[in-house]
Amino acid sequence: MSRLIVRRLLVSLAVLWLVTLLVFVATLLLPGDPARAILGQQATPERIAALRAQLDIDAPVWERYLNWLGGVVTGDLGTSTATQGPVNDLLGDRIGASLVLLVAAAVLSTLVGLALGTWTAMRRGRAADHTVSGISLVIAALPEFVIGVALIVLLSTTVFPLLPSVTLAPPGEPVWSQPSQLVLPVLTLTLVVTPYITRMMRATMSEVLDSGYVEMARLKGIPEKTVLLRHALPHAIGPVAQVIALQLAWLAGGVVVVEFLFRYPGVGQALIDAVNSRDVEVVQAITLLIAAVYIVVNLLADIVGILTSPKLRAEVTR
């Protein structure tokens, strides 16, 4: 088990290094002159030359990459060209705000998806199963911005004006100080992710409930609740963990659209602002952060899938 975890960790580090290369090259390919984009069209050649020297734009590409990578390894994400302040300070509060959004959506979508998937698997072929499957299929086909706009129309403007449609917290105040402004963003992300977890959990749980060891447990007279929790659920969680990981990793990138839609002060909104202002250091930092979250979540999913599945544990320990 330890060797497997170390091997997966080394692979994840190699993938993360490749991501740093892709992120750096992608920012180099952005059109236009970053110095002129920051200073504007009326900037003098002297100011542009001074800013290019400050940003090391004229340095060799390999030297710029090594300097940036060295800063990332030591925790220094560079200096924002838009605010002239450290990127770490710029993203500190925004990372916290996005984490609140992601954790709330992840917990809700996982619990609801697992519960609905298990419930429908135990009612296969009934009206409840068909209803939940149909609704989840329709929601899964909708992009996140469509779901967000529908929720704004339904719960914020036209039908039931109960919740704020945008973030109202003033600068410097934590977003959780006004819980009502978190409802629509969290609900949007939850509705986007939950259908996939529900459908995968239903399929996996249906297969497990038809297995021989579950049937043997029932023949022995074990209560249905015990059969479900001790015999069926551990075998179903392993494959579903991979789907949950993919969906939670998607949240790290999908949050960009949702934060922009609701004007939520997180890393997604910061990424859009940085792209518009050609703030390359911030773009690199946020893109790398999202990729790191994706890799870490998938690594944890592999470990959880092995630990929760008796079949996978047996294969690993052979």
Side-chain angles (χ1 to χ4, degrees), residues 250-271:
W250 173 90
L251 286 177
V255 74
V256 175
V257 176
V258 175
E259 287 185 358
F260 177 75
L261 179 63
F262 293 101
R263 301 299 299 174
Y264 188 85
V267 294
Q269 184 63 47
L271 177 61

Side-chain angles (χ1 to χ4, degrees), residues 72-95:
V72 170
V73 172
T74 58
D76 181 11
L77 299 177
T79 302
S80 169
T81 54
T83 64
Q84 295 300 311
V87 176
N88 297 42
D89 296 341
L90 176 65
L91 297 182
D93 294 337
R94 291 179 176 270
I95 291 175

Side-chain angles (χ1 to χ4, degrees), residues 198-211:
T198 300
R199 294 176 65 83
M200 184 62 185
M201 187 63 184
R202 180 197 176 280
T204 306
M205 182 61 75
S206 297
E207 181 180 350
V208 171
L209 290 176
D210 290 337
S211 62

Side-chain angles (χ1 to χ4, degrees), residues 124 204-218 231-232 235 311:
R124 282 172 293 173
T204 306
M205 182 61 75
S206 297
E207 181 180 350
V208 171
L209 290 176
D210 290 337
S211 62
Y213 50 85
V214 171
E215 185 66 25
M216 181 61 67
R218 287 170 172 165
H231 297 274
H235 289 82
K311 182 186 297 185

